Amino acid sequence: MCNFNNLDQKKKEFLHLFLTKAAKNIGGVNYLLALIEAMRAKKPHPLMQKNCQIASNNTIIKWNKVVFKDKIDLIQNILVAHREAEEKDFNILHGTNSKVKKNIINMSRALAPLKFVITPQNPNDGEGFSFTVFETLEDDVIVFNPVFIALFFCSTEFTKKAIKYQI
């Protein structure tokens, strides 16, 4: 998932359009990249922050509940397995055994209500934007929102490629 060149055309276009529009809504591409760098600086992982927010000089991202380490580890394991498989559909339930499938379903139930809101610190910079963890959440299909993965798990270079992508 975090290799922009392996994404299909539809995901590349979606990421490009969403991230460029999102950047405009918070004051520009540099503000978005500064927020991502601030997120990367948080250890052990930005989603584990007790106050459920991270601020850069110009923007703030807030979410409604703390994510625990076991859920983050599971997401990272899914991304590693998916990277090796290089599948295009991103259904995280595809090809998993029953124990892993149960863990994924429990993780999806825990993270489904999670909503992220990014706002500029100066209201004149824009209205901000929001997103959720999952793009699709059904009984047999669970697909991560590529924006969530891009902002929290992929490199800054991935985001730069997505923003610079030509449609």
Side-chain angles (χ1 to χ4, degrees):
M1 172 70 193
C2 288
N3 185 343
F4 190 76
N5 297 329
N6 284 349
L7 295 178
D8 62 16
Q9 187 72 20
K10 184 178 166 187
K11 292 285 184 197
K12 287 179 181 179
E13 289 175 5
F14 170 77
L15 275 171
H16 171 74
L17 292 173
F18 188 91
L19 290 174
T20 52
K21 183 176 180 186
K24 288 178 186 172
N25 285 340
I26 60 170
V29 172
N30 289 336
Y31 287 6
L32 180 62
L33 294 175
L35 178 63
I36 293 170
E37 289 297 329
M39 291 165 57
R40 298 287 179 273
K42 296 294 182 182
K43 300 295 179 203
H45 193 276
L47 290 171
M48 294 172 62
Q49 298 298 307
K50 298 273 187 243
N51 57 359
C52 297
Q53 75 174 29
I54 298 172
S56 69
N57 290 338
N58 305 16
T59 53
I60 300 173
I61 181 169
K62 296 180 181 182
W63 57 98
N64 50 345
K65 78 185 236 187
V66 175
V67 179
F68 296 108
K69 184 169 178 15
D70 63 327
K71 306 298 186 235
I72 293 169
D73 290 342
L74 182 58
I75 293 170
Q76 289 172 335
N77 291 340
I78 290 167
L79 292 176
V80 166
H82 192 77
R83 184 179 313 133
E84 292 169 358
E86 293 186 10
E87 297 169 10
K88 301 291 186 193
D89 65 352
F90 300 112
N91 180 2
I92 61 176
L93 290 177
H94 181 68
T96 57
N97 64 39
S98 60
K99 184 177 178 182
V100 174
K101 191 173 191 175
K102 181 181 175 194
N103 289 341
I104 291 172
I105 291 170
N106 288 339
M107 181 256 320
S108 66
R109 287 182 186 149
L111 299 183
L114 210 56
K115 183 176 181 181
F116 300 90
V117 178
I118 299 178
T119 54
Q121 291 193 19
N122 181 350
N124 296 332
D125 288 336
E127 62 211 31
F129 66 97
S130 64
F131 60 93
T132 59
V133 175
F134 299 104
E135 186 176 89
T136 305
L137 187 59
E138 298 171 0
D139 290 340
D140 56 343
V141 178
I142 299 175
V143 179
F144 281 120
N145 183 339
V147 174
F148 168 73
I149 298 300
L151 293 181
F152 283 99
F153 293 94
C154 295
S155 68
T156 309
E157 292 302 315
F158 177 88
T159 309
K160 287 179 183 177
K161 283 183 182 180
I163 291 172
K164 291 179 183 178
Y165 181 72
Q166 299 294 318
I167 296 178

